[in-house]
PDB file of all heavy atoms in Angstrom:
ATOM      1  N   THR A 534     -64.988 125.251 133.553  1.00  0.00           N
ATOM      2  CA  THR A 534     -64.301 124.473 134.594  1.00  0.00           C
ATOM      3  C   THR A 534     -62.799 124.666 134.463  1.00  0.00           C
ATOM      4  O   THR A 534     -62.077 124.910 135.444  1.00  0.00           O
ATOM      5  CB  THR A 534     -64.655 122.980 134.447  1.00  0.00           C
ATOM      6  OG1 THR A 534     -66.068 122.877 134.371  1.00  0.00           O
ATOM      7  CG2 THR A 534     -64.145 122.161 135.606  1.00  0.00           C
ATOM      8  N   ARG A 535     -62.315 124.570 133.236  1.00  0.00           N
ATOM      9  CA  ARG A 535     -60.870 124.730 133.017  1.00  0.00           C
ATOM     10  C   ARG A 535     -60.438 126.172 133.304  1.00  0.00           C
ATOM     11  O   ARG A 535     -59.370 126.403 133.879  1.00  0.00           O
ATOM     12  CB  ARG A 535     -60.508 124.352 131.573  1.00  0.00           C
ATOM     13  CG  ARG A 535     -60.708 122.874 131.311  1.00  0.00           C
ATOM     14  CD  ARG A 535     -60.279 122.518 129.915  1.00  0.00           C
ATOM     15  NE  ARG A 535     -58.844 122.327 129.835  1.00  0.00           N
ATOM     16  CZ  ARG A 535     -58.211 121.959 128.721  1.00  0.00           C
ATOM     17  NH1 ARG A 535     -58.889 121.771 127.596  1.00  0.00           N
ATOM     18  NH2 ARG A 535     -56.908 121.783 128.712  1.00  0.00           N
ATOM     19  N   LEU A 536     -61.263 127.135 132.911  1.00  0.00           N
ATOM     20  CA  LEU A 536     -60.903 128.539 133.184  1.00  0.00           C
ATOM     21  C   LEU A 536     -60.837 128.782 134.691  1.00  0.00           C
ATOM     22  O   LEU A 536     -59.957 129.495 135.175  1.00  0.00           O
ATOM     23  CB  LEU A 536     -61.914 129.490 132.543  1.00  0.00           C
ATOM     24  CG  LEU A 536     -61.862 129.677 131.027  1.00  0.00           C
ATOM     25  CD1 LEU A 536     -62.838 130.777 130.612  1.00  0.00           C
ATOM     26  CD2 LEU A 536     -60.463 130.000 130.534  1.00  0.00           C
ATOM     27  N   GLN A 537     -61.791 128.193 135.441  1.00  0.00           N
ATOM     28  CA  GLN A 537     -61.818 128.420 136.891  1.00  0.00           C
ATOM     29  C   GLN A 537     -60.585 127.816 137.557  1.00  0.00           C
ATOM     30  O   GLN A 537     -59.985 128.436 138.442  1.00  0.00           O
ATOM     31  CB  GLN A 537     -63.103 127.827 137.492  1.00  0.00           C
ATOM     32  CG  GLN A 537     -63.313 128.210 138.956  1.00  0.00           C
ATOM     33  CD  GLN A 537     -63.429 129.724 139.154  1.00  0.00           C
ATOM     34  OE1 GLN A 537     -64.289 130.369 138.561  1.00  0.00           O
ATOM     35  NE2 GLN A 537     -62.528 130.312 139.965  1.00  0.00           N
ATOM     36  N   LEU A 538     -60.172 126.627 137.087  1.00  0.00           N
ATOM     37  CA  LEU A 538     -58.964 126.002 137.636  1.00  0.00           C
ATOM     38  C   LEU A 538     -57.739 126.884 137.398  1.00  0.00           C
ATOM     39  O   LEU A 538     -56.894 127.080 138.276  1.00  0.00           O
ATOM     40  CB  LEU A 538     -58.731 124.635 136.981  1.00  0.00           C
ATOM     41  CG  LEU A 538     -59.569 123.473 137.512  1.00  0.00           C
ATOM     42  CD1 LEU A 538     -59.380 122.243 136.619  1.00  0.00           C
ATOM     43  CD2 LEU A 538     -59.166 123.155 138.958  1.00  0.00           C
ATOM     44  N   LEU A 539     -57.656 127.420 136.177  1.00  0.00           N
ATOM     45  CA  LEU A 539     -56.529 128.296 135.838  1.00  0.00           C
ATOM     46  C   LEU A 539     -56.582 129.569 136.682  1.00  0.00           C
ATOM     47  O   LEU A 539     -55.552 130.032 137.204  1.00  0.00           O
ATOM     48  CB  LEU A 539     -56.585 128.635 134.335  1.00  0.00           C
ATOM     49  CG  LEU A 539     -55.496 129.549 133.791  1.00  0.00           C
ATOM     50  CD1 LEU A 539     -54.103 128.946 133.982  1.00  0.00           C
ATOM     51  CD2 LEU A 539     -55.732 129.823 132.288  1.00  0.00           C
ATOM     52  N   ALA A 540     -57.788 130.123 136.826  1.00  0.00           N
ATOM     53  CA  ALA A 540     -57.942 131.343 137.624  1.00  0.00           C
ATOM     54  C   ALA A 540     -57.489 131.092 139.056  1.00  0.00           C
ATOM     55  O   ALA A 540     -56.735 131.901 139.633  1.00  0.00           O
ATOM     56  CB  ALA A 540     -59.400 131.811 137.590  1.00  0.00           C
ATOM     57  N   ASP A 541     -57.920 129.981 139.642  1.00  0.00           N
ATOM     58  CA  ASP A 541     -57.531 129.675 141.030  1.00  0.00           C
ATOM     59  C   ASP A 541     -56.009 129.597 141.154  1.00  0.00           C
ATOM     60  O   ASP A 541     -55.412 130.124 142.090  1.00  0.00           O
ATOM     61  CB  ASP A 541     -58.153 128.339 141.474  1.00  0.00           C
ATOM     62  CG  ASP A 541     -59.680 128.427 141.583  1.00  0.00           C
ATOM     63  OD1 ASP A 541     -60.212 129.557 141.606  1.00  0.00           O
ATOM     64  OD2 ASP A 541     -60.323 127.359 141.628  1.00  0.00           O
ATOM     65  N   GLU A 542     -55.388 128.936 140.169  1.00  0.00           N
ATOM     66  CA  GLU A 542     -53.921 128.787 140.175  1.00  0.00           C
ATOM     67  C   GLU A 542     -53.246 130.163 140.131  1.00  0.00           C
ATOM     68  O   GLU A 542     -52.305 130.431 140.889  1.00  0.00           O
ATOM     69  CB  GLU A 542     -53.509 127.948 138.947  1.00  0.00           C
ATOM     70  CG  GLU A 542     -52.005 127.880 138.695  1.00  0.00           C
ATOM     71  CD  GLU A 542     -51.709 127.426 137.252  1.00  0.00           C
ATOM     72  OE1 GLU A 542     -52.434 126.568 136.706  1.00  0.00           O
ATOM     73  OE2 GLU A 542     -50.738 127.964 136.675  1.00  0.00           O
TER      74      GLU A 542
END
Side-chain angles (χ1 to χ4, degrees):
T534 309
R535 293 183 82 178
L536 286 186
Q537 189 61 57
L538 280 171
L539 180 60
D541 293 345
E542 171 198 323

